[in-house]
Amino acid sequence: MIAILGAMQEEITPILEMVGEYKTTEYANNKFYEANYKGKDLVIAYSKIGKVNSALTATVMIEKFGARALIFTGVAGALKRGIKIGEILYATSLVQHDLDITAFGHPYGFVPGSKISVQTDAKLNSIAQSVAEQLGITLKSGIIASGDQFVSGEERKSWIERTFDASAVEMEGASVAQVCDALGVPFCILRAISDEAGHKAEFDFDEFMVKSAQTSANFVLKMIERL
C-alpha cells in the first residue's frame, strides 16, 4: 500500500479523477480513499492544514491502512532566490521552524528525543528526478521548513532561510516526516512553488492551485508506476 497525501482537497481531487474507482472510508474526522492504479494499491487523503492534522493523517494512513511508503504533494513558498513560481521542489530534509525551546539552551527546531532535521528517502527522490526528466520538468531540491503559521513577512522568511538554510516554507511537511521517520516508512515531500522570496507575487492563487494540482497529480502517479 502506498500513501498519497495532500494538504488540501484541491491537491488530491485530480489524483482521484485519474485513478477512477475508489473506496471511501471515513475515519478520524477525515476521508480516506483506497484505489488500485496500474496494479498498485493506494490510500489517498488530504490532511487539512497544519502540523497536527498532517501528523494525524499520516499516522492513520500507515497504522490503519498499512501504507509502506508515502508521497506528499502540495504547495510552498520559496525562500531562496532562483526558485520560481510553478517549479517543483523535493525536500532533501525537513525542519520545524516554529519549534523553539532555545530558553533551555537548545537550538531552534530541536526537542530532546527528536531530530532537528529529518531526511527524506533517497530512492523515492531518485524516482522523482527520473520522472521529472521524463516529463521535461525542472525539479529542484532543498531543505523545507514547516510551521503552524502562514509565513508572508520578509523578515520572518529571511530568518527561516538563515537559521535552517531552507529553500521553501510550508505548514505540514516536517510533521509528516517525523511520523514516517518514527514508524520506519520511506517518504518523499514534493512542493510546487506558489510565491517567491522577496517578491510580492500578483497572481490568481485559485487558478494556480488548479494548474499545480493537475501537474502534481500527473507527476505523483508517474512515480507510482515506477515503484
Side-chain angles (χ1 to χ4, degrees), residues 9 15 18 23 30 36 38 44 50 53 65 77 79 99 109 116 121 124 127 135 142 145 151 159 162 180 197 219:
Q9 178 70 58
I15 295 174
M18 292 172 74
K23 172 188 172 185
N30 206 345
N36 185 281
K38 297 191 176 182
I44 304 161
N53 283 326
F65 291 92
L79 295 176
L99 186 52
I116 293 178
D121 184 71
L124 289 174
I127 291 172
L135 298 177
V151 178
W159 180 86
R162 291 195 314 271
C180 290
F219 193 99

Side-chain angles (χ1 to χ4, degrees), residues 18-19 40-41 46 63 67 104 106-107 138 169 185 202 224:
M18 292 172 74
V19 300
K40 308 291 173 58
D41 289 326
Y46 77 99
E63 292 292 284
F104 297 97
H106 297 295
T138 299
V169 63
V185 172
E202 299 294 337
I224 296 297

Side-chain angles (χ1 to χ4, degrees), residues 3-227:
I4 301 176
L5 181 59
M8 295 182 285
Q9 178 70 58
E10 293 89 344
E11 291 162 349
I12 68 165
T13 295
I15 295 174
L16 294 174
E17 291 173 349
M18 292 172 74
V19 300
E21 296 182 0
Y22 50 84
K23 172 188 172 185
T24 303
T25 300
E26 295 191 21
Y27 185 80
N29 199 32
N30 206 345
K31 292 181 179 180
F32 297 83
Y33 307 94
E34 293 175 87
N36 185 281
Y37 181 75
K38 297 191 176 182
K40 308 291 173 58
D41 289 326
L42 308 177
V43 57
I44 304 161
Y46 77 99
S47 67
K48 294 177 283 191
I49 293 169
K51 292 192 296 178
V52 172
N53 283 326
S54 59
L56 171 62
T57 308
T59 301
V60 169
M61 296 174 97
I62 294 166
E63 292 292 284
K64 180 175 174 62
F65 291 92
R68 292 295 172 258
L70 185 148
I71 301 173
F72 191 106
T73 177
V75 299
L79 295 176
K80 292 186 180 295
R81 295 186 183 277
I83 302 175
K84 303 298 183 184
I85 291 173
E87 290 184 330
I88 297 177
L89 176 108
Y90 73 85
T92 53
S93 62
L94 297 103
V95 298
Q96 297 183 63
H97 68 76
D98 61 346
L99 186 52
D100 180 1
I101 56 168
T102 55
F104 297 97
H106 297 295
Y108 288 105
F110 173 81
V111 292
S114 70
K115 307 170 184 175
I116 293 178
S117 177
V118 180
Q119 306 294 314
T120 53
D121 184 71
K123 180 180 177 181
L124 289 174
N125 291 341
S126 177
I127 291 172
Q129 290 171 321
S130 64
V131 168
E133 291 176 7
Q134 175 191 347
L135 298 177
I137 292 174
T138 299
L139 182 67
K140 297 190 174 180
S141 63
I143 297 168
I144 291 180
S146 308
D148 282 319
Q149 54 192 235
F150 182 80
V151 178
S152 57
E154 296 306 320
E155 184 177 348
R156 180 66 180 172
K157 281 187 171 184
S158 296
W159 180 86
I160 295 170
E161 180 189 1
R162 291 195 314 271
T163 304
F164 299 101
D165 191 29
S167 294
V169 63
E170 36 89 306
M171 300 179 69
E172 298 85 21
S175 50
V176 171
Q178 192 166 3
V179 166
C180 290
D181 183 62
L183 297 176
V185 172
F187 69 100
C188 176
I189 307 286
L190 301 168
R191 291 288 191 173
I193 299 303
S194 61
D195 61 276
E196 299 175 38
H199 296 274
K200 300 295 184 183
E202 299 294 337
F203 71 108
D204 186 329
F205 184 77
D206 290 337
E207 182 181 346
F208 170 83
M209 272 297 301
V210 171
K211 292 180 179 179
S212 168
Q214 193 66 47
T215 299
S216 296
N218 185 51
F219 193 99
V220 169
L221 291 178
K222 289 290 186 186
M223 287 186 66
I224 296 297
E225 292 176 19
R226 293 173 181 240
L227 289 176

